[in-house]
């Protein structure tokens, strides 16, 4: 392996150490409904995101709240010596992808049938620290 490639791999590995992932597969909610709730917490601090999800009335918010708590637990397991308050965690990325579809038939008038698609989704949540890099400009 070349020097540049090794340095790049080490840098990516160091960046991933500060991240924590949680994934929810085959959640029986349509991706469109889940994205409405996911957009509310994207980029927010973890404490604020938990408050938003706890007091939102949509069913998808309950599932995302549980997923966020799981991501926090994963971060704590990875960084045992650090505390959440000092880390200043944010919801760095939240992605809602379409999952498998259950296809059903519903009777329709005049002997016809309509297809009913029961959608599901996959949610990936990434937590990261919001460390702001101080860039000094030389004039």
């Amino acid at each position: 392996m070349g020097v540049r490639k090794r340095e790049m791999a080490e840098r990516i590995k160091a960046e991933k150490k500060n991240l924590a992932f949680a994934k929810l597969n085959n959640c029986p909610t349509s991706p469109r409904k889940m994205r409405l709730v996911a957009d509310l917490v994207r980029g927010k601090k973890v404490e604020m995101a938990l408050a938003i999800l706890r007091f939102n009335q949509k069913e998808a918010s309950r599932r995302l709240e549980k997923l966020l708590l799981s991501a926090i637990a994963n971060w704590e397991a990875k960084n045992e010596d650090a505390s959440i308050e000092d880390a200043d965690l944010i919801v760095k990325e939240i992605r809602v992808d379409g999952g498998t579809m259950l296809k059903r038939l519903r009777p329709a008038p005049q002997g016809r049938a309509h297809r009913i698609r029961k959608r599901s989704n996959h949610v990936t949540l990434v937590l990261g620290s919001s460390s702001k890099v101080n860039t000094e400009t030389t004039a």
Side-chain angles (χ1 to χ4, degrees), residues 11-20 75 78-79 81:
R11 188 173 57 87
I12 290 172
K13 188 176 179 183
E15 288 174 1
K16 281 193 174 182
K17 186 171 181 173
N18 297 330
L19 299 178
W75 186 88
K78 209 179 219 187
N79 305 310
D81 54 339

